[in-house]
Amino acid sequence: DAGITQSPRYKITETGRQVTLMCHQTWSHSYMFWYRQDLGHGLRLIYYSAAADITDKGEVPDGYVVSRSKTENFPLTLESATRSQTSVYFCASSWTSDGTDTQYFGPGTRLTVL
Amino acid sequence: QKEVEQDPGPLSVPEGAIVSLNCTYSNSAFQYFMWYRQYSRKGPELLMYTYSSGNKEDGRFTAQVDKSSKYISLFIRDSQPSDSATYLCAMKGTGNQFYFGTGTSLTVIP
């Protein structure tokens, strides 16, 4: 199916565990983004990628690692999960990074860290 | 101080009302201004974008940007129950980073 998908949709883990959230898009978009959404903070950018093997930090990168070996995939890893990382995580993609191009968002992953 | 401030609401209006949603910002370097709509348990979807100052209209939706006041607005005319959602403003300067507001929850009552 065309579009942007995220997996898993729901995840419960414990503090200290490593967790990887997957993001896959079928449009061959150059740019991909990871956001977290929390009450009172809105959407905050964690990392973004301009192309395969090119990534850069966003507003809140600490505790997260990303990679992009293929254009269509952009996994986000929490190396040692903490309770403060309990959030809803959204992946997005677009052709460009400027505001003239739509950012297409995935359905989100609800992560709970106990 | 947050880069973008948005009143979280909630906002409740009767069907057919005109809705006004607003955001203020502090960074004068912002040039691109966007409004997203987010239904419950879904990802945000782009409604409108505006470059620099001015107005932009798309059907029942009008976006306004006043850079001198660092203030943007989204107006929804003839509001419908299907407009019930959370509306997020977003903005961007010359870099790659988008800054989002916290969102305003809107309910349109039939």
Side-chain angles (χ1 to χ4, degrees):
Chain A
D1 289 339
I4 183 165
T5 56
Q6 293 183 237
S7 62
R9 294 293 314 278
Y10 301 89
K11 177 74 176 178
I12 299 175
T13 191
E14 296 176 337
T15 55
R17 290 191 179 269
Q18 184 179 81
V19 177
T20 296
L21 309 183
M22 304 301 293
C23 179
H24 176 76
Q25 52 102 356
T26 60
W27 295 298
S28 299
H29 284 166
S30 299
Y31 284 83
M32 296 188 75
F33 307 83
W34 272 108
Y35 294 89
R36 60 178 291 174
Q37 187 173 38
D38 306 286
L39 278 174
H41 290 281
L43 281 164
R44 291 181 291 175
L45 183 66
I46 304 171
Y47 271 95
Y48 68 95
S49 168
D53 297 322
I54 301 174
T55 62
D56 207 349
K57 296 178 181 179
E59 185 182 355
V60 289
D62 293 343
Y64 303 95
V65 174
V66 293
S67 62
R68 195 167 176 206
S69 57
K70 292 183 177 181
T71 300
E72 61 267 30
N73 297 324
F74 191 39
L76 175 74
T77 298
L78 289 66
E79 292 189 301
S80 179
T82 65
R83 289 180 181 169
S84 64
Q85 293 177 310
T86 292
S87 186
V88 181
Y89 291 85
F90 287 102
C91 178
S93 70
S94 67
W95 286 114
T96 68
S97 67
D98 69 35
T100 62
D101 184 38
T102 296
Q103 278 199 5
Y104 292 91
F105 282 81
T109 295
R110 289 184 174 271
L111 176 67
T112 301
V113 183
L114 301 176
Chain B
Q1 184 183 5
K2 289 183 180 178
E3 299 270 6
V4 180
E5 298 279 357
Q6 183 175 10
D7 186 339
L11 190 59
S12 183
V13 301
E15 184 175 352
I18 296 175
V19 176
S20 172
L21 304 168
N22 311 295
C23 288
T24 59
Y25 62 95
S26 56
N27 190 339
S28 58
F30 287 152
Q31 298 180 39
Y32 296 95
F33 303 91
M34 292 140 280
W35 286 96
Y36 285 80
R37 178 174 62 197
Q38 184 176 21
Y39 292 113
S40 180
R41 296 187 175 265
K42 301 285 187 182
E45 55 180 340
L46 182 69
L47 266 181
M48 298 185 72
Y49 81 87
T50 308
Y51 173 69
S52 194
S53 286
N55 295 355
K56 186 171 184 178
E57 187 174 321
D58 184 2
R60 297 185 293 110
F61 298 89
T62 299
Q64 289 186 350
V65 175
D66 182 349
K67 291 189 73 177
S68 63
S69 301
K70 296 189 177 68
Y71 188 88
I72 70 171
S73 300
L74 177 70
F75 297 95
I76 307 174
R77 292 184 298 280
D78 186 26
S79 56
Q80 302 295 309
S82 59
D83 295 328
S84 298
T86 296
Y87 290 81
L88 305 163
C89 63
M91 40 201 84
K92 179 182 167 302
T94 55
N96 291 309
Q97 188 159 331
F98 286 74
Y99 293 89
F100 284 81
T102 54
T104 299
S105 175
L106 171 67
T107 300
V108 180
I109 303 168

